[in-house]
Structures are given as structure tokens and as C-alpha cells.
Amino acid sequence: MATAKQKAAAKKSIRKARTAWRGMSAQAHARAQPEGRRRAKPGARSSGGFFHIEVRPRREFKTFRTQDVGKTGGIERVAGKRVSGSWDTQKWLISKEHAHRVGARLVPDTADARKILKTLGAPPRHLSGDRFKATDRPNVPERTKPTPAMRRARTRNIRKAQATKRKSSSR
């Protein structure tokens, strides 16, 4: 059992720690923790091999998968799975060999990078380090579907299917 003297000493040390804590800044609070500072976000320090173009916030998703688009290591799509089970693009990763930064703009160096940046709804805005933010391609409302491009694609696919059917039946 703690004596009255020990209790008083404990109260005094707690009071002392509280006043010291109140006088500290947020950075000092982080340094005072045994784990140290919080981990930096991916792309925040400009030391990685990719530019990160966020299309939707991370909080919308519960699971993530990275897919290579085109050749390995050039452009990657980070897909997120929602609680409902649907998948969507969370962000694009463009290799620093495929694009470069000029001021706050991201300039593509290859056709693949140009294609990805063109499909975005708006040009990427620079946040910090290698991180950018953009909107995804515009959502086409159902009442305007099928679009002329969709109609063309559908007729092209039907013609392809008919041609292969003719080839297989003639044998």
C-alpha cells in the first residue's frame, strides 16, 4: 500500500508532467511518444519512383490492389474495394521515367502517361512532394447512354462475332 508521502509525490510528478505537456508543440508531442513521429504518406517526401495522382479519397475504400497498366513498372492503377463490394480507381501511379514535374504541373513524357492524364476529368493539382490530386473522368448520366462511341463499339463487336462465327461454320 502506498503511503501518504508516496501519493503526494506521485500527484506532484503528474502535475509537473501535465504542465510540461501543455507547453509543448504538436511536433514535440510526436517526438515525446515512444513510437516517434507518424509515418509519412506515400509520395510525400519526393524520394519514391512514382508520382501519385489521387482520384478518390482513401476513406471511401477498405481494401486496395495495385494493377500494372501496360508494361511492367511504368504506370500502375491502385484500385480500392468499397464496403458495398464495388471496385473503383483510388489513384494512379505514374513512374518518374514516364513523366516529370514542371512547377505545379505534371508533364507526360510517354504516350502511356499522356493517355492516362488525358482520361482524367481535370489536370492534376500538386499537393506536396510527389502527390497530386485530380478528378476522375466525368460520369456519363444514364439518360445520355448509349453514347455514339458506345454504339460504334457495340456494332464493331457484333461484326467481329459474326465474322468469327462465319469462319468457324465454314470449316
Side-chain angles (χ1 to χ4, degrees):
M1 197 74 186
T3 64
K5 213 177 201 182
Q6 288 172 327
K7 284 182 182 177
K11 277 185 180 178
K12 188 178 178 184
S13 65
I14 288 170
R15 222 176 292 123
K16 203 170 159 184
R18 279 188 185 147
T19 55
W21 188 258
R22 279 191 210 109
M24 288 176 150
S25 65
Q27 285 86 4
H29 280 217
R31 282 192 299 272
Q33 299 304 314
E35 304 88 33
R37 296 177 185 189
R38 206 176 81 216
R39 181 175 90 80
K41 282 187 174 180
R45 295 211 174 133
S46 300
S47 57
F50 290 92
F51 290 110
H52 300 244
I53 304 169
E54 184 184 297
V55 174
R56 288 179 185 81
R58 277 182 75 94
R59 67 178 175 272
E60 290 183 15
F61 306 100
K62 63 172 188 171
T63 311
F64 298 93
R65 289 267 162 81
T66 306
Q67 300 171 318
D68 259 323
V69 177
K71 295 182 184 99
T72 309
I75 295 171
E76 295 179 8
R77 172 185 175 251
V78 177
K81 187 178 185 181
R82 291 193 175 88
V83 180
S84 65
S86 66
W87 288 85
D88 220 336
T89 304
Q90 192 265 324
K91 70 176 168 181
W92 290 98
L93 302 175
I94 298 180
S95 172
K96 290 186 177 177
E97 296 167 6
H98 289 254
H100 65 278
R101 208 178 106 196
V102 176
R105 279 187 28 235
L106 190 62
V107 181
D109 295 332
T110 63
D112 292 337
R114 208 171 293 113
K115 185 179 175 185
I116 294 297
L117 293 176
K118 196 176 276 187
T119 60
L120 295 172
R125 275 186 355 258
H126 183 248
L127 297 175
S128 67
D130 293 336
R131 295 174 60 231
F132 290 83
K133 192 173 185 134
T135 55
D136 201 16
R137 63 181 81 93
N139 186 18
V140 180
E142 286 299 317
R143 67 180 178 274
T144 60
K145 289 179 183 174
T147 62
M150 288 171 146
R151 282 193 211 109
R152 283 192 305 270
R154 188 166 188 264
T155 54
R156 202 170 36 242
N157 290 340
I158 289 169
R159 284 191 191 121
K160 272 189 213 172
Q162 288 170 342
T164 52
K165 195 171 183 180
R166 269 189 242 116
K167 278 184 187 176
S168 64
S169 65
S170 66
R171 288 182 185 174

